């Protein structure tokens, strides 16, 4: 297990890999020096999930925005990312999904360069270099990977470039998409 067998991935029946990042003592020291309060991720009240079905009557899936609307949307996105980053710099607690489907509280802290995500469960700390994140999947959508961890529509999974992964479960779809959207923006910013 990653934290006792977290999000196990199988490419085929004989090839099973479990996420196993190296322990980083400096990350543990950082997390140990901050109180372990249950600070949950805040989702902005105006955050909405847009789907292809609901965005356009033309059937193309795209909405044409004028310049003012584009500027407003960009400002909203920038504020949302800023708030997300501020929360992750201070640390938030998310529910990590274990291989058997059970949940374990996981304290998540991002470094000041926004390139490393430190994950702490109990006294075990793991780090994820954001540049190794290949894909951020919402719900059960893990494409061609066969995941043995039972996931549902409230889960978001970070898939690393070696097909190792870690999944989190959220209280609702809005929270899941908020997390996935912000993580995708931060990951793209590192390219």
């Amino acid at each position: 297990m990653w934290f006792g067998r977290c999000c196990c991935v199988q490419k085929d029946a004989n090839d099973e890999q479990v996420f196993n990042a190296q322990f980083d003592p400096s990350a543990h020291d950082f997390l140990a020096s901050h109180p372990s309060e249950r600070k949950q991720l805040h989702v902005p009240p105006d955050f909405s999930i847009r789907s292809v079905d609901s965005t356009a009557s033309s059937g193309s899936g795209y909405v044409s925005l004028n310049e003012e609307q584009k500027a407003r949307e960009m400002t909203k996105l920038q504020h949302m990312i800023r708030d997300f980053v501020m929360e992750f710099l201070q640390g938030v607690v998310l529910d990590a999904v274990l291989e058997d489907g059970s949940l374990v509280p996981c304290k998540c802290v991002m470094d000041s360069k926004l390139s490393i995500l430190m994950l702490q469960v109990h006294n075990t700390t793991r780090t994820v270099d954001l540049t190794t994140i290949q894909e951020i999947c919402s719900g059960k959508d893990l494409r061609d990977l066969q995941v043995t961890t039972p996931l549902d529509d409230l889960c978001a999974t970070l898939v690393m470039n070696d097909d190792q992964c870690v999944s989190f479960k959220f209280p609702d779809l809005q929270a899941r998409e908020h997390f996935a959207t912000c993580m995708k923006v931060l990951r793209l910013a590192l390219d």
Side-chain angles (χ1 to χ4, degrees), residues 5-10 16-18 99 146-149 165:
R5 302 237 359 127
C6 181
C7 195
C8 182
V9 176
Q10 282 182 275
E16 186 171 321
Q17 299 177 354
V18 178
E99 185 180 26
Q146 294 178 357
V147 179
T148 59
T149 304
C165 65

Side-chain angles (χ1 to χ4, degrees), residues 30-31 39-42 81-94 106-111 114 116-119 168 170 178-179 182-183 186:
F30 174 81
L31 289 171
K39 184 173 186 232
Q40 302 215 345
L41 183 62
H42 170 74
I81 298 300
R82 182 200 63 210
D83 294 345
F84 181 87
V85 165
M86 294 304 293
E87 286 184 276
F88 269 78
L89 288 172
Q90 295 172 15
V92 297
V93 176
L94 301 178
C106 178
K107 184 166 185 181
C108 305
V109 180
M110 201 165 290
D111 73 331
L114 308 180
I116 303 290
L117 181 61
M118 294 170 274
L119 306 172
F168 299 101
F170 296 88
H178 172 66
F179 172 82
C182 292
M183 287 300 295
L186 292 174

Side-chain angles (χ1 to χ4, degrees), residues 5 7 12 22 33 51-52 65 82 87 89 94 99 105 109 113 124-126 141 155 157-158 164 172 183:
R5 302 237 359 127
C7 195
D12 60 50
Q22 293 297 314
S33 68
S51 69
V52 172
L65 301 175
R82 182 200 63 210
E87 286 184 276
L89 288 172
L94 301 178
E99 185 180 26
V109 180
K113 295 180 184 177
T124 303
T125 301
R126 303 286 188 232
D141 180 30
C155 296
T157 302
L158 306 178
Q164 296 177 351
D172 54 42
M183 287 300 295

Side-chain angles (χ1 to χ4, degrees), residues 39-80:
K39 184 173 186 232
Q40 302 215 345
L41 183 62
H42 170 74
V43 179
D46 61 345
F47 180 78
S48 62
I49 302 170
R50 296 184 182 160
S51 69
V52 172
D53 296 336
S54 65
T55 56
S57 58
S58 66
S60 68
Y62 296 99
V63 174
S64 179
L65 301 175
N66 64 35
E67 291 305 314
E68 182 181 328
Q69 291 170 320
K70 287 179 189 176
R72 268 198 317 263
E73 287 294 313
M74 184 58 74
T75 300
K76 265 175 64 173
L77 179 62
Q78 288 169 341
H79 285 97
M80 182 178 75

Side-chain angles (χ1 to χ4, degrees), residues 13-14 23 29-30 44 46 60 80 85 102-103 106 108 117 120 133 138 143-144 151 159 173 189:
N14 298 322
F23 177 76
D29 294 342
F30 174 81
D46 61 345
S60 68
M80 182 178 75
V85 165
S102 62
L103 304 177
C106 178
C108 305
L117 181 61
Q120 179 185 22
I133 297 175
S138 294
R143 308 201 189 262
D144 55 352
L151 301 174
V159 181
L173 293 176

